[in-house]
Amino acid sequence: MKIINKKNFLCTVCISYTFFSLVNIVIEIYQKRVVWSQINNLQIFGVSLFAVFLLSQLYRLENLPLLVAIVISYICFISVVMLYIWISAHYFEIHPNGYRDMFTSCTVGYILGVVFYEIEYFIRVRKQNKDLKYIKQRLRATSSK
């Protein structure tokens, strides 16, 4: 049985890369060989986890117009990220452009994530609508006999 195929190859690579990177960072931190790039990678991982969590919760706002739901989730996302940077600034030195850079990279990343999420969502809805239409046609055909 083939587990890794064309459909999941890229996702498998991304998951593997993330896993190996995080394990490497944890090992190096444990060995007390900490550099700022490791901390930065852990922060990016944390921001990614939070962004994916927010995207997974968009269904809770499905009674709102799509654009309003996206804006609400983005405001929540960027607010938490900026709060995290503000708190971090009390313990670590932040680059003078740190807020701007984080805002820019997080905004671009979140927008791309929302676009991919919504495309996948609409593809699945369209497929379910086709399936539902097929089932209704089959029911009509069997009930008219």
Side-chain angles (χ1 to χ4, degrees):
M1 179 166 80
K2 189 174 182 178
I3 295 176
I4 299 173
N5 54 41
K6 289 179 186 177
K7 285 185 175 183
N8 68 3
F9 182 80
L10 185 59
C11 287
T12 304
V13 170
C14 292
I15 290 167
S16 299
Y17 175 79
T18 302
F19 176 75
F20 288 123
S21 296
L22 291 174
V23 167
N24 185 41
I25 289 170
V26 169
I27 289 171
E28 289 181 352
I29 288 174
Y30 181 74
Q31 293 173 347
K32 301 199 180 356
R33 295 186 308 185
V34 180
V35 293
W36 284 108
S37 63
Q38 295 165 331
I39 304 301
N40 189 37
N41 285 337
L42 288 175
Q43 291 172 338
I44 290 170
F45 181 71
V47 168
S48 298
L49 279 175
F50 183 59
V52 170
F53 172 75
L54 281 179
L55 288 176
S56 74
Q57 300 303 308
L58 270 179
Y59 75 93
R60 295 180 187 272
L61 302 175
E62 67 185 13
N63 59 339
L64 298 174
L66 178 62
L67 188 58
V68 173
I70 291 171
V71 168
I72 288 171
S73 69
Y74 170 74
I75 289 171
C76 179
F77 172 72
I78 205 68
S79 297
V80 169
V81 168
M82 290 299 156
L83 178 65
Y84 170 74
I85 295 172
W86 181 76
I87 292 170
S88 295
H90 290 81
Y91 300 101
F92 307 104
E93 185 177 341
I94 303 293
H95 187 275
N97 297 330
Y99 287 97
R100 184 201 65 201
D101 293 346
M102 195 66 158
F103 176 81
T104 304
S105 63
C106 286
T107 297
V108 170
Y110 197 74
I111 289 172
L112 289 174
V114 166
V115 167
F116 287 123
Y117 176 84
E118 290 302 326
I119 288 171
E120 179 67 23
Y121 180 79
F122 284 120
I123 288 171
R124 289 184 184 200
V125 166
R126 191 175 333 155
K127 183 183 180 311
Q128 288 176 347
N129 285 340
K130 281 183 187 177
D131 292 346
L132 188 59
K133 184 177 179 182
Y134 175 76
I135 291 169
K136 285 181 180 179
Q137 288 173 347
R138 296 289 295 173
L139 285 174
R140 278 191 221 120
T142 56
S143 66
S144 63
K145 288 184 180 180

